[in-house]
Amino acid sequence: MYQTYRLRNGIRLIHRPTHSHVAHCGVFINTGSRDEGPDEQGIAHLIEHVVFKGTARRKAFQILSHMENVGGEINAFTSKEDTCIYASFMYPHYTRWFDLISDILFHSVFPEKEINKEKDVVLDEINACLDSPSEQIFDDFDELIFNSHPLGRNILGTPESLRGITRDNIHRFIGRNYVTGEMLICSVGRMDFTAFVRAAEQYFGHVPASEREGGRTKFTHYSPLEKVLHRKNHQVHCIVGNKAYSLHDSKKTALALLSNILGGPGLNSRLNMSVREKHGFCYNIESHYQAFSDAGIISIYFGTDPGYTGKTLSLIHKELKLVRTKKLGSLQLSRAKLQLMGQIAISFESHLNEMLYNGKNFLNFEKTDSLTDINRRIEAVEAGDLLEVANEVFEEGVLSTLMYKP
């Protein structure tokens, strides 16, 4: 169902035709906060802001209006390993989008005034995060797990690092990382693939071929740590977790399934049933697994009244001991697989989610997976695999803990 192509300059294309009136198309660049130098923290995310602030052909208002004038929506995000600029629009406007995105990617002028203005905007983002301990604690836990490694850096940067970023820094970062060999265009929409390739050739084919020099610094050293920070909160906020498997590890599917069993979005997750439903100790308890190209992180988060902290931690460790020592029965395992497969299928009902998933997958693996492929991998997980993963990742002696105390 997905069609792929590579332009002569190395930019990759992936497209799935649909009959929908709405199309979704994004440019993915294999660069993020982990590719920043020590004096560049926050620059990848800042660039995501300032590329919309003017090109040789367009002012900021013209950029924002170009797709919105025809009812489209334009957005962007920066993660630790990739940057994406994308839009949703009525399908007759593909060419309009290609014209705009090629302009802002390759002809942005980065006016000093706009850079300084967007620094203030990002500072507001940082302050908003600081005002939300349930968000901030995840950034601080990344820093705890990955220590001084680039994966531990806050994507937004710090007020100090932002102040030091200059226009020259931005040009150098883009020249080093926004290379055609690390770039792809992903689309889900009502466009013939031949026409899609032709449009990509017209607006991106002229860009000289380029490759990124050097590789990323791999994360190799982890030591379990416990840290308590005192903050002016009403609740205790806490994360328990560990380093985990990378995107390329064969055990990642088993860990994703195990994380979903423990604290996925379903209200019947083990931790939700034990901590919230049975004891009423907290409103929110959840498990998250995030995989990167060479590492990963698994975390269990909860917020609770200070008087329930010890009891909540005790219940979490009780559930972790159960998954380390007791195999799931065949019926339990079957239900867990069906639940995860259903959640993924529902997310794929959104063509925007599908486009974002395909782009990230193709960026990392040079291919993407259908629901059938994903379900096949989930079905292949056995109870013994979950037991093995649980003993590797949730062994009590290798877990780290971060806590915000009032």
Side-chain angles (χ1 to χ4, degrees):
M1 296 174 67
Y2 307 101
Q3 296 166 285
T4 63
Y5 186 81
R6 187 185 290 267
L7 302 182
R8 287 187 296 274
N9 57 17
I11 296 176
R12 291 160 287 172
L13 312 178
I14 176 169
H15 176 66
R16 185 174 81 82
T18 68
H19 296 293
S20 173
H21 287 281
V22 179
H24 309 276
C25 187
V27 174
F28 292 75
I29 305 149
N30 189 26
T31 190
S33 59
R34 75 170 300 176
D35 301 303
E36 299 165 347
D39 59 343
E40 295 177 325
Q41 188 176 351
I43 195 170
H45 175 255
L46 180 63
I47 289 169
E48 173 214 312
H49 280 240
V50 294
V51 292
F52 295 104
K53 297 305 176 180
T55 71
R57 292 170 50 200
R58 294 179 170 96
K59 295 187 182 298
F61 176 76
Q62 293 171 314
I63 290 171
L64 295 176
S65 300
H66 194 69
M67 297 307 296
E68 291 190 356
N69 281 348
V70 293
E73 296 178 357
I74 187 169
N75 213 331
F77 66 80
T78 305
S79 73
K80 291 183 185 290
E81 294 195 319
D82 46 69
T83 301
C84 177
I85 304 170
Y86 63 96
S88 301
F89 46 86
M90 298 290 281
Y91 75 91
H93 303 303
Y94 260 106
T95 302
R96 190 182 187 92
W97 167 241
F98 272 113
D99 177 45
L100 178 65
I101 186 61
S102 64
D103 190 28
I104 64 178
L105 276 176
F106 304 114
H107 304 292
S108 284
V109 293
F110 307 113
E112 290 280 5
K113 181 180 178 182
E114 296 294 341
I115 291 172
N116 292 329
K117 192 188 301 179
E118 287 309 305
K119 286 182 182 181
D120 288 337
V121 173
V122 176
L123 285 172
D124 275 346
E125 280 191 76
I126 293 172
N127 289 333
C129 191
L130 290 172
D131 279 345
S132 177
S134 60
E135 291 182 32
Q136 178 65 28
I137 196 169
F138 283 92
D139 290 328
D140 288 346
F141 191 68
D142 283 355
E143 187 177 341
L144 186 73
I145 293 292
F146 295 116
N147 203 352
S148 57
H149 188 273
L151 280 173
R153 293 180 188 147
N154 190 319
I155 294 168
L156 299 179
T158 67
E160 296 74 24
S161 66
L162 279 173
R163 279 193 282 269
I165 295 173
T166 66
R167 189 167 180 262
D168 287 342
N169 293 141
I170 288 172
H171 279 296
R172 281 196 293 271
F173 185 86
I174 287 175
R176 193 170 74 238
N177 293 289
Y178 278 49
V179 294
T180 60
E182 302 292 345
M183 198 174 287
L184 73 87
I185 305 168
C186 183
S187 165
V188 173
R190 192 169 171 179
M191 191 181 203
D192 175 76
F193 186 62
T194 302
F196 180 74
V197 172
R198 190 161 54 241
E201 289 277 15
Q202 179 183 348
Y203 291 100
F204 287 83
H206 67 282
V207 180
S210 53
E211 295 287 342
R212 184 160 57 196
E213 294 181 5
R216 288 168 168 165
T217 303
K218 291 186 176 181
F219 176 69
T220 55
H221 181 69
Y222 165 75
S223 297
L225 294 168
E226 292 188 7
K227 188 174 182 179
V228 176
L229 299 174
H230 292 277
R231 295 181 49 141
K232 294 180 179 179
N233 304 319
H234 292 289
Q235 282 189 310
V236 164
H237 297 266
C238 184
I239 290 186
V240 178
N242 190 9
K243 70 178 180 63
Y245 308 120
S246 76
L247 283 168
H248 303 280
D249 198 302
S250 60
K251 296 178 183 178
K252 69 176 184 179
T253 304
L255 181 54
L257 180 58
L258 183 59
S259 177
N260 205 57
I261 291 167
L262 282 168
L267 294 179
N268 64 346
S269 72
R270 287 191 173 191
L271 290 171
N272 194 71
M273 293 299 294
S274 171
V275 178
R276 175 177 171 171
E277 295 298 324
K278 187 175 180 180
H279 292 93
F281 288 161
C282 70
Y283 172 72
N284 190 27
I285 184 164
E286 56 200 31
S287 177
H288 298 274
Y289 166 45
Q290 186 173 11
F292 305 111
S293 56
D294 60 341
I297 188 167
I298 180 78
S299 58
I300 295 168
Y301 161 81
F302 68 91
T304 190
D305 183 90
Y308 294 144
T309 307
K311 294 176 181 178
T312 301
L313 281 169
S314 178
L315 288 172
I316 289 171
H317 286 292
K318 180 181 177 181
E319 291 299 331
L320 294 182
K321 185 176 180 180
L322 276 175
V323 296
R324 293 198 308 268
T325 57
K326 188 175 180 181
K327 272 188 180 183
L328 264 68
S330 57
L331 184 58
Q332 289 176 309
L333 182 60
S334 176
R335 285 175 176 167
K337 289 177 179 180
L338 284 173
Q339 183 175 41
L340 182 56
M341 287 189 287
Q343 290 167 353
I344 294 170
I346 290 170
S347 73
F348 265 55
E349 278 294 289
S350 161
H351 286 164
L352 174 58
N353 286 348
E354 181 187 356
M355 185 276 292
L356 294 173
Y357 174 84
N358 290 341
K360 187 170 179 64
N361 243 31
F362 206 68
L363 201 63
N364 287 287
F365 303 108
E366 289 286 328
K367 67 181 184 68
T368 192
D369 296 322
S370 66
L371 274 174
T372 302
D373 297 325
I374 296 168
N375 291 346
R376 191 180 297 119
R377 285 203 302 270
I378 294 171
E379 283 287 9
V381 176
E382 298 179 355
D385 300 326
L386 294 178
L387 206 63
E388 179 183 352
V389 164
N391 277 281
E392 289 180 355
V393 174
F394 291 125
E395 174 62 40
E396 208 163 333
V398 299
L399 293 174
S400 290
T401 303
L402 175 63
M403 187 180 298
Y404 290 170
K405 272 190 174 181

